[in-house]
Structure formats: structure tokens, C-alpha cells
Amino acid sequence: MQGCDLRQHGVPADHAGRACWVDVRGWGSRVVGFGNPRQPYGALAEKTVAPKGAYLPILEGVDPAIATVLGTAITGMSVKTAAGFVPGETVLVQGATGVAGRLAVKVARLLGAGRIIATGRDDDQLREVRTLGADAVINTAVPDEALAQVYLDARGDGYDVVLDYLWGRPTEILLRSLVPQSFAFPKPTRLIQVGETDLRGSRLVVVP
């Protein structure tokens, strides 16, 4: 196993594992990525066994630290591929203090977002997210009414794209706060939900 430090790429220290790429004996090349590791060894183990086909060689000239986060960073690209983002639009990243959320903030900035609002529950980590490109941050660890008001205060002319890594309570409050109070409908908001596969317990109400 070999190591690299992901903190230089915006990954928080408590998520930045050092064993992040592997030299495959006999291949003479570096590989990255794995799925379906052999139990009981998983993604948090120091070493694991990955089946053939669950990893790819790292191309020459590509920093292994960059290669290890590409799979996560790709979720940030959904603002463009799924939401049709165009430069200058306002992007809200729900759950921006996690690895994927931090990378999504950086992706949105690189794509030319006009404004980026990021949410999370830890003030210290939210301050770090601001250094990655967020124009404003929202702490969701407040009462429901207060959170709804903060969403309204931060939206400016409206959220064009919401990239949501949270689901549940914060998104329910967000959507309810965006319901117009009159027939003067604002511009639409495109919401992309990432990572939630079981929504049966959700209480969200979709308002056309």
C-alpha cells in the first residue's frame, strides 16, 4: 500500500485516509478504486481485497491523490449533467462539510457558479468550506422556523440548482420555504438528490 494526503484537495483531516492507492505486484502500475471488497475487510480497513475489474490503472501524469477523489467529485458534476447548470447560476450545496459536498463546492466554482451557498452542522467546518469557494454558509443545526428563514434570506434571486447530499429534515424545510406565497412565481429551482436510495420513510411533499 502507498499513501497520500488528501487534505491539500479540500478533504477534511478526519476523512483524509493515507492508504489511498495501491501498487499491484506484477502490473508495474498504480490502480485506484474498488467495489465489493472481500468481507470482513471494507473501505475503512488498512488493506483490503478487491475483485478484478473493480479498479483501474492511474494514468501517467495524474496525481494519485486526485485520482482517488474523482469518483466522489463526479457527483458534483451532476449540477451540469442532471440539472443543466449554466455559468452564473446560484447553487445551493446541502451537506457541504462532507467530502463529496466540499468537492461539489469546488466543482461548482470551477464551472462558473455566480453564487454558492453551502450548508452543514459544524461552524468550524463551514468556515473551511468558505475557503473552498462558498459565498455564504448555513448552519442547519437550528430550529425549523429559523432554518426556513435563513434559507429565504440566503437565496437572493433564488436557487437555480440545489445539490442535496442530505435529504430528510433540511431538505423538507428547504422545499417548504420555497413554496411561493403569491401567484408571482419566482424562477424554478432544479433539485438533484445524491445518494439516497430508500425514500419510503420520507415526509416530503412535492408542490408543483
Side-chain angles (χ1 to χ4, degrees), residues 183-205:
F183 288 106
F185 289 98
K187 59 183 177 181
T189 296
R190 291 105 69 195
L191 186 148
I192 307 300
Q193 207 289 315
V194 180
E196 181 60 66
T197 59
D198 186 359
L199 306 182
R200 290 172 294 182
S202 172
R203 297 185 294 111
L204 292 184
V205 177

Side-chain angles (χ1 to χ4, degrees), residues 106-121:
K106 299 189 76 170
V107 168
R109 180 58 69 205
L110 290 171
L111 290 175
R115 289 182 68 234
I116 301 172
I117 298 90
T119 75
R121 297 185 298 176

Side-chain angles (χ1 to χ4, degrees), residues 91-96 105 116-120 126 129 134-139:
V91 177
L92 170 64
V93 180
Q94 290 265 72
V105 168
I116 301 172
I117 298 90
T119 75
L126 285 171
V129 171
D135 298 291
V137 296
I138 295 173
N139 190 320

Side-chain angles (χ1 to χ4, degrees), residues 39-188:
Q39 295 183 356
Y41 310 107
L44 298 181
E46 180 180 355
K47 296 181 180 181
T48 191
V49 178
K52 184 177 181 181
Y55 45 80
L56 293 171
I58 300 174
L59 298 178
E60 290 297 326
V62 176
D63 184 343
I66 296 294
T68 58
V69 298
L70 280 178
T72 302
I74 282 175
T75 63
M77 286 296 296
S78 62
V79 299
K80 184 174 181 67
T81 58
F85 167 85
V86 296
E89 290 189 316
T90 296
V91 177
L92 170 64
V93 180
Q94 290 265 72
T97 56
V99 175
R102 288 169 180 250
L103 291 170
V105 168
K106 299 189 76 170
V107 168
R109 180 58 69 205
L110 290 171
L111 290 175
R115 289 182 68 234
I116 301 172
I117 298 90
T119 75
R121 297 185 298 176
D122 184 283
D123 286 332
D124 290 336
Q125 293 195 32
L126 285 171
R127 280 190 285 271
E128 293 179 7
V129 171
R130 291 202 71 145
T131 69
L132 300 178
D135 298 291
V137 296
I138 295 173
N139 190 320
T140 59
V142 297
D144 292 2
E145 291 186 4
L147 181 56
Q149 187 60 52
V150 174
Y151 278 134
L152 290 173
D153 294 341
R155 71 177 179 177
D157 294 331
Y159 303 114
D160 296 294
V161 178
V162 176
L163 186 58
D164 177 40
Y165 292 96
L166 298 179
W167 202 243
R169 172 185 172 269
T171 304
E172 178 180 2
I173 295 172
L174 169 67
L175 293 184
R176 292 188 183 281
S177 74
L178 296 180
V179 175
Q181 302 299 314
S182 70
F183 288 106
F185 289 98
K187 59 183 177 181

